[in-house]
Structures are given as structure tokens and as C-alpha cells.
Amino acid sequence: MLTFDVASVALTADVVDIDPDPRTTAVDTVVIDFSDVVDVFEVAALSLWRDGSEVPLDGVEASSSDGLRWVVSGLARATAAPGRYTLTVEAGGLVSEDGRVLEESATDSWTTVAAPVVGDVGDTIRQASIVTTTSGEVRVAGQIGDSRFRGRDV
């Protein structure tokens, strides 16, 4: 009699990198890829943190057409504030259609920075250029003003 010892390969997940990072806008959708078909993916398997505090995932939904690639949508409200975010698919809560368990959590982190405020209502920007620095800051250079006042350099 022949006996085989088949090692079970764990289910793996990859939270696709958020791009751009850093960013000045909220993240509305995140893509999660699995190594095997996952028939049921509950949002409860996710956690979202901003600067060390958990962020509620109210109104967030997950959908997939093939069970391998899941799209988590409705995150814009939860990720609008500036800060350092980490989205985690928690280990242990997900099982593939053939019974393999997600044994290691999958995460991605990104930073949302405040969009620069350039002027008040009615101001116009002339000859502006936007420069992103290596530290993630966004700088605007040019002239700002309106028809009532002479433009000033920014």
C-alpha cells in the first residue's frame, strides 16, 4: 500500500498597493487578490487603522466576479482625513473553497496628506506649477490674486 503525505498550502492574500502614496485624496476602493477562490468574504475580516486608532468600516462592501480578486468599495468616508492608514485582511477568518485557511494577515499602508489651501473664494491662480517633494508634500508655485488686487507670488 502506497501512502502519500500531502502538505496543505495555506491560502494567501495580497492587498494591492495603494497608488499614489502619499496622496491628497481619500481611497474609495482597494483590491485584494487571493491565491485560491474565496466564496465568502465578509468586511468583518478587514480592519482599518489611522494613526493607531481603528476606523469604522460602516457602509463598506466587498464584491468579486471570480472569488480570486475582491474589490472593497465605499472606503472614501473612512479614509478622507489626513493620516497614516493601514488596511489589514485578518488571518484565520477566511477559507478557500477547498478548505485552505488564510494563516497570515495581509496589509497595505499609505499616507493621506491635507491638500494645500491656496487662497480664498474668488482668488485665481496664474502661472501655477505643482511640485511633489520626496517627503510627500505638495507645493504650489505661481501667482495668486483676483481682479480687485494685484497678484502676489506664492
Side-chain angles (χ1 to χ4, degrees):
M1 177 160 114
L2 220 44
T3 305
F4 292 97
D5 183 18
V6 179
S8 176
V9 178
L11 175 67
T12 61
D14 175 42
V15 180
V16 177
D17 293 343
I18 301 299
D19 187 43
D21 178 17
R23 59 189 304 112
T24 57
T25 59
V27 172
D28 189 50
T29 60
V30 172
V31 174
I32 302 168
D33 290 327
F34 290 95
S35 60
D36 196 13
V37 174
V38 173
D39 289 327
V40 178
F41 181 86
E42 301 284 339
V43 173
L46 298 173
S47 64
L48 178 66
W49 294 79
R50 183 183 73 240
D51 297 331
S53 297
E54 192 162 13
V55 178
L57 293 173
D58 300 333
V60 173
E61 298 178 350
S63 62
S64 178
S65 61
D66 62 7
L68 291 170
R69 174 164 276 204
W70 286 81
V71 177
V72 178
S73 59
L75 289 163
R77 183 186 310 162
T79 62
R84 181 76 178 152
Y85 289 89
T86 300
L87 181 76
T88 302
V89 181
E90 301 293 346
L94 295 170
V95 180
S96 69
E97 71 177 359
D98 65 359
R100 295 188 293 150
V101 177
L102 182 66
E103 294 179 1
E104 288 188 34
S105 297
T107 66
D108 187 44
S109 297
W110 70 93
T111 301
T112 300
V113 295
V117 176
V118 179
D120 60 16
V121 174
D123 282 347
T124 57
I125 300 173
R126 296 182 302 243
Q127 302 169 355
S129 61
I130 298 175
V131 178
T132 303
T133 67
T134 57
S135 66
E137 296 175 333
V138 177
R139 298 181 184 203
V140 177
Q143 282 194 339
I144 186 170
D146 59 28
S147 60
R148 297 173 295 163
F149 300 102
R150 245 185 62 198
R152 56 187 186 270
D153 290 334
V154 292

mmCIF file of all heavy atoms in Angstrom, residues 61-91:
data_model
loop_
_atom_site.group_PDB
_atom_site.id
_atom_site.type_symbol
_atom_site.label_atom_id
_atom_site.label_comp_id
_atom_site.label_asym_id
_atom_site.label_seq_id
_atom_site.Cartn_x
_atom_site.Cartn_y
_atom_site.Cartn_z
ATOM 1 N N GLU A 61 -18.310 47.677 1.372
ATOM 2 C CA GLU A 61 -18.764 46.413 0.782
ATOM 3 C C GLU A 61 -17.630 45.737 0.028
ATOM 4 O O GLU A 61 -16.705 46.410 -0.433
ATOM 5 C CB GLU A 61 -19.926 46.671 -0.189
ATOM 6 C CG GLU A 61 -21.150 47.261 0.470
ATOM 7 C CD GLU A 61 -22.255 47.549 -0.539
ATOM 8 O OE1 GLU A 61 -22.001 47.470 -1.766
ATOM 9 O OE2 GLU A 61 -23.364 47.856 -0.099
ATOM 10 N N ALA A 62 -17.724 44.416 -0.101
ATOM 11 C CA ALA A 62 -16.746 43.650 -0.873
ATOM 12 C C ALA A 62 -17.477 42.859 -1.943
ATOM 13 O O ALA A 62 -18.542 42.296 -1.686
ATOM 14 C CB ALA A 62 -15.961 42.711 0.038
ATOM 15 N N SER A 63 -16.907 42.837 -3.157
ATOM 16 C CA SER A 63 -17.523 42.085 -4.250
ATOM 17 C C SER A 63 -16.447 41.455 -5.121
ATOM 18 O O SER A 63 -15.310 41.923 -5.163
ATOM 19 C CB SER A 63 -18.415 43.000 -5.096
ATOM 20 O OG SER A 63 -17.635 44.026 -5.680
ATOM 21 N N SER A 64 -16.839 40.364 -5.796
ATOM 22 C CA SER A 64 -15.915 39.672 -6.679
ATOM 23 C C SER A 64 -16.703 38.964 -7.767
ATOM 24 O O SER A 64 -17.805 38.471 -7.523
ATOM 25 C CB SER A 64 -15.089 38.641 -5.904
ATOM 26 O OG SER A 64 -14.233 37.945 -6.781
ATOM 27 N N SER A 65 -16.114 38.878 -8.951
ATOM 28 C CA SER A 65 -16.752 38.132 -10.031
ATOM 29 C C SER A 65 -16.178 36.722 -10.156
ATOM 30 O O SER A 65 -16.786 35.862 -10.782
ATOM 31 C CB SER A 65 -16.587 38.878 -11.364
ATOM 32 O OG SER A 65 -15.217 39.000 -11.679
ATOM 33 N N ASP A 66 -14.994 36.500 -9.548
ATOM 34 C CA ASP A 66 -14.356 35.196 -9.690
ATOM 35 C C ASP A 66 -13.889 34.570 -8.379
ATOM 36 O O ASP A 66 -13.400 33.443 -8.371
ATOM 37 C CB ASP A 66 -13.180 35.283 -10.657
ATOM 38 C CG ASP A 66 -12.080 36.226 -10.191
ATOM 39 O OD1 ASP A 66 -12.148 36.742 -9.043
ATOM 40 O OD2 ASP A 66 -11.151 36.460 -10.974
ATOM 41 N N GLY A 67 -14.004 35.277 -7.260
ATOM 42 C CA GLY A 67 -13.571 34.755 -5.976
ATOM 43 C C GLY A 67 -12.075 34.870 -5.731
ATOM 44 O O GLY A 67 -11.611 34.642 -4.617
ATOM 45 N N LEU A 68 -11.306 35.235 -6.753
ATOM 46 C CA LEU A 68 -9.858 35.411 -6.608
ATOM 47 C C LEU A 68 -9.491 36.869 -6.338
ATOM 48 O O LEU A 68 -8.633 37.154 -5.518
ATOM 49 C CB LEU A 68 -9.122 34.942 -7.866
ATOM 50 C CG LEU A 68 -9.138 33.440 -8.132
ATOM 51 C CD1 LEU A 68 -8.585 33.138 -9.516
ATOM 52 C CD2 LEU A 68 -8.336 32.709 -7.061
ATOM 53 N N ARG A 69 -10.135 37.775 -7.050
ATOM 54 C CA ARG A 69 -9.888 39.211 -6.899
ATOM 55 C C ARG A 69 -11.135 39.846 -6.307
ATOM 56 O O ARG A 69 -12.208 39.793 -6.908
ATOM 57 C CB ARG A 69 -9.540 39.848 -8.236
ATOM 58 C CG ARG A 69 -9.415 41.369 -8.151
ATOM 59 C CD ARG A 69 -8.729 41.930 -9.339
ATOM 60 N NE ARG A 69 -7.285 41.813 -9.082
ATOM 61 C CZ ARG A 69 -6.376 42.576 -9.661
ATOM 62 N NH1 ARG A 69 -6.710 43.472 -10.532
ATOM 63 N NH2 ARG A 69 -5.101 42.400 -9.376
ATOM 64 N N TRP A 70 -10.985 40.413 -5.119
ATOM 65 C CA TRP A 70 -12.090 41.066 -4.430
ATOM 66 C C TRP A 70 -11.852 42.571 -4.427
ATOM 67 O O TRP A 70 -10.728 43.037 -4.233
ATOM 68 C CB TRP A 70 -12.203 40.545 -2.999
ATOM 69 C CG TRP A 70 -12.782 39.165 -2.953
ATOM 70 C CD1 TRP A 70 -12.135 37.978 -3.165
ATOM 71 C CD2 TRP A 70 -14.148 38.838 -2.715
ATOM 72 N NE1 TRP A 70 -13.016 36.938 -3.063
ATOM 73 C CE2 TRP A 70 -14.257 37.422 -2.771
ATOM 74 C CE3 TRP A 70 -15.287 39.578 -2.438
ATOM 75 C CZ2 TRP A 70 -15.455 36.766 -2.579
ATOM 76 C CZ3 TRP A 70 -16.482 38.920 -2.234
ATOM 77 C CH2 TRP A 70 -16.566 37.538 -2.312
ATOM 78 N N VAL A 71 -12.921 43.336 -4.658
ATOM 79 C CA VAL A 71 -12.860 44.786 -4.633
ATOM 80 C C VAL A 71 -13.627 45.260 -3.409
ATOM 81 O O VAL A 71 -14.818 44.965 -3.263
ATOM 82 C CB VAL A 71 -13.455 45.399 -5.925
ATOM 83 C CG1 VAL A 71 -13.442 46.922 -5.845
ATOM 84 C CG2 VAL A 71 -12.683 44.907 -7.145
ATOM 85 N N VAL A 72 -12.931 45.956 -2.544
ATOM 86 C CA VAL A 72 -13.542 46.540 -1.353
ATOM 87 C C VAL A 72 -13.842 47.992 -1.694
ATOM 88 O O VAL A 72 -12.938 48.747 -2.053
ATOM 89 C CB VAL A 72 -12.599 46.441 -0.132
ATOM 90 C CG1 VAL A 72 -13.223 47.082 1.086
ATOM 91 C CG2 VAL A 72 -12.238 44.974 0.124
ATOM 92 N N SER A 73 -15.114 48.368 -1.633
ATOM 93 C CA SER A 73 -15.509 49.713 -2.047
ATOM 94 C C SER A 73 -16.261 50.426 -0.925
ATOM 95 O O SER A 73 -16.707 49.812 0.031
ATOM 96 C CB SER A 73 -16.371 49.647 -3.307
ATOM 97 O OG SER A 73 -17.521 48.868 -3.057
ATOM 98 N N GLY A 74 -16.381 51.746 -1.094
ATOM 99 C CA GLY A 74 -17.075 52.559 -0.096
ATOM 100 C C GLY A 74 -16.172 53.026 1.027
ATOM 101 O O GLY A 74 -16.641 53.371 2.114
ATOM 102 N N LEU A 75 -14.870 53.084 0.781
ATOM 103 C CA LEU A 75 -13.907 53.472 1.811
ATOM 104 C C LEU A 75 -13.653 54.979 1.888
ATOM 105 O O LEU A 75 -12.956 55.431 2.793
ATOM 106 C CB LEU A 75 -12.570 52.776 1.557
ATOM 107 C CG LEU A 75 -12.519 51.278 1.817
ATOM 108 C CD1 LEU A 75 -11.303 50.662 1.145
ATOM 109 C CD2 LEU A 75 -12.504 51.013 3.309
ATOM 110 N N ALA A 76 -14.192 55.759 0.957
ATOM 111 C CA ALA A 76 -13.841 57.184 0.870
ATOM 112 C C ALA A 76 -14.103 57.940 2.172
ATOM 113 O O ALA A 76 -13.258 58.720 2.623
ATOM 114 C CB ALA A 76 -14.583 57.851 -0.287
ATOM 115 N N ARG A 77 -15.243 57.718 2.785
ATOM 116 C CA ARG A 77 -15.553 58.442 4.024
ATOM 117 C C ARG A 77 -14.566 58.056 5.138
ATOM 118 O O ARG A 77 -14.127 58.893 5.910
ATOM 119 C CB ARG A 77 -16.975 58.157 4.489
ATOM 120 C CG ARG A 77 -17.334 58.959 5.733
ATOM 121 C CD ARG A 77 -18.663 58.634 6.327
ATOM 122 N NE ARG A 77 -19.742 58.629 5.353
ATOM 123 C CZ ARG A 77 -20.904 58.059 5.569
ATOM 124 N NH1 ARG A 77 -21.151 57.446 6.692
ATOM 125 N NH2 ARG A 77 -21.844 58.101 4.650
ATOM 126 N N ALA A 78 -14.204 56.780 5.184
ATOM 127 C CA ALA A 78 -13.311 56.292 6.237
ATOM 128 C C ALA A 78 -11.862 56.722 6.037
ATOM 129 O O ALA A 78 -11.078 56.729 6.991
ATOM 130 C CB ALA A 78 -13.391 54.769 6.316
ATOM 131 N N THR A 79 -11.475 57.090 4.809
ATOM 132 C CA THR A 79 -10.073 57.416 4.526
ATOM 133 C C THR A 79 -9.861 58.861 4.088
ATOM 134 O O THR A 79 -8.826 59.185 3.507
ATOM 135 C CB THR A 79 -9.514 56.471 3.437
ATOM 136 O OG1 THR A 79 -10.262 56.661 2.228
ATOM 137 C CG2 THR A 79 -9.580 55.016 3.874
ATOM 138 N N ALA A 80 -10.828 59.733 4.374
ATOM 139 C CA ALA A 80 -10.736 61.121 3.917
ATOM 140 C C ALA A 80 -9.793 61.973 4.759
ATOM 141 O O ALA A 80 -9.159 62.888 4.243
ATOM 142 C CB ALA A 80 -12.128 61.751 3.886
ATOM 143 N N ALA A 81 -9.690 61.711 6.043
ATOM 144 C CA ALA A 81 -8.865 62.539 6.931
ATOM 145 C C ALA A 81 -7.382 62.271 6.694
ATOM 146 O O ALA A 81 -6.985 61.148 6.390
ATOM 147 C CB ALA A 81 -9.223 62.246 8.386
ATOM 148 N N PRO A 82 -6.557 63.294 6.834
ATOM 149 C CA PRO A 82 -5.113 63.088 6.712
ATOM 150 C C PRO A 82 -4.616 62.129 7.791
ATOM 151 O O PRO A 82 -5.123 62.110 8.912
ATOM 152 C CB PRO A 82 -4.520 64.480 6.928
ATOM 153 C CG PRO A 82 -5.635 65.426 6.630
ATOM 154 C CD PRO A 82 -6.890 64.713 7.041
ATOM 155 N N GLY A 83 -3.626 61.299 7.437
ATOM 156 C CA GLY A 83 -3.030 60.394 8.412
ATOM 157 C C GLY A 83 -2.379 59.201 7.745
ATOM 158 O O GLY A 83 -2.407 59.055 6.524
ATOM 159 N N ARG A 84 -1.812 58.343 8.563
ATOM 160 C CA ARG A 84 -1.170 57.105 8.098
ATOM 161 C C ARG A 84 -2.163 55.972 8.284
ATOM 162 O O ARG A 84 -2.577 55.678 9.403
ATOM 163 C CB ARG A 84 0.098 56.849 8.919
ATOM 164 C CG ARG A 84 0.847 55.607 8.507
ATOM 165 C CD ARG A 84 1.613 55.827 7.239
ATOM 166 N NE ARG A 84 2.367 54.612 6.893
ATOM 167 C CZ ARG A 84 2.677 54.284 5.673
ATOM 168 N NH1 ARG A 84 2.322 55.052 4.674
ATOM 169 N NH2 ARG A 84 3.347 53.189 5.422
ATOM 170 N N TYR A 85 -2.570 55.335 7.176
ATOM 171 C CA TYR A 85 -3.583 54.282 7.181
ATOM 172 C C TYR A 85 -2.944 52.912 6.983
ATOM 173 O O TYR A 85 -1.972 52.779 6.235
ATOM 174 C CB TYR A 85 -4.588 54.501 6.048
ATOM 175 C CG TYR A 85 -5.509 55.662 6.268
ATOM 176 C CD1 TYR A 85 -5.169 56.940 5.849
ATOM 177 C CD2 TYR A 85 -6.735 55.483 6.907
ATOM 178 C CE1 TYR A 85 -6.017 58.013 6.059
ATOM 179 C CE2 TYR A 85 -7.593 56.548 7.117
ATOM 180 C CZ TYR A 85 -7.224 57.808 6.701
ATOM 181 O OH TYR A 85 -8.070 58.865 6.913
ATOM 182 N N THR A 86 -3.534 51.908 7.630
ATOM 183 C CA THR A 86 -3.169 50.511 7.391
ATOM 184 C C THR A 86 -4.452 49.710 7.276
ATOM 185 O O THR A 86 -5.278 49.721 8.199
ATOM 186 C CB THR A 86 -2.298 49.946 8.529
ATOM 187 O OG1 THR A 86 -1.101 50.715 8.617
ATOM 188 C CG2 THR A 86 -1.943 48.486 8.264
ATOM 189 N N LEU A 87 -4.625 49.036 6.128
ATOM 190 C CA LEU A 87 -5.755 48.140 5.909
ATOM 191 C C LEU A 87 -5.221 46.715 6.015
ATOM 192 O O LEU A 87 -4.228 46.370 5.379
ATOM 193 C CB LEU A 87 -6.384 48.355 4.533
ATOM 194 C CG LEU A 87 -7.583 47.457 4.249
ATOM 195 C CD1 LEU A 87 -8.807 47.959 5.006
ATOM 196 C CD2 LEU A 87 -7.872 47.393 2.769
ATOM 197 N N THR A 88 -5.892 45.896 6.840
ATOM 198 C CA THR A 88 -5.438 44.519 7.080
ATOM 199 C C THR A 88 -6.556 43.536 6.800
ATOM 200 O O THR A 88 -7.691 43.741 7.236
ATOM 201 C CB THR A 88 -4.972 44.360 8.547
ATOM 202 O OG1 THR A 88 -3.927 45.293 8.805
ATOM 203 C CG2 THR A 88 -4.477 42.950 8.816
ATOM 204 N N VAL A 89 -6.222 42.476 6.062
ATOM 205 C CA VAL A 89 -7.090 41.306 5.943
ATOM 206 C C VAL A 89 -6.610 40.377 7.053
ATOM 207 O O VAL A 89 -5.484 39.890 7.014
ATOM 208 C CB VAL A 89 -6.957 40.616 4.566
ATOM 209 C CG1 VAL A 89 -7.897 39.426 4.485
ATOM 210 C CG2 VAL A 89 -7.222 41.593 3.438
ATOM 211 N N GLU A 90 -7.459 40.153 8.042
ATOM 212 C CA GLU A 90 -7.064 39.406 9.234
ATOM 213 C C GLU A 90 -6.951 37.904 8.954
ATOM 214 O O GLU A 90 -7.821 37.328 8.284
ATOM 215 C CB GLU A 90 -8.062 39.652 10.364
ATOM 216 C CG GLU A 90 -8.203 41.112 10.770
ATOM 217 C CD GLU A 90 -6.963 41.716 11.416
ATOM 218 O OE1 GLU A 90 -6.056 40.961 11.812
ATOM 219 O OE2 GLU A 90 -6.898 42.958 11.511
ATOM 220 N N ALA A 91 -5.903 37.297 9.490
ATOM 221 C CA ALA A 91 -5.683 35.859 9.346
ATOM 222 C C ALA A 91 -6.753 35.072 10.101
ATOM 223 O O ALA A 91 -7.308 35.550 11.086
ATOM 224 C CB ALA A 91 -4.305 35.485 9.881
#
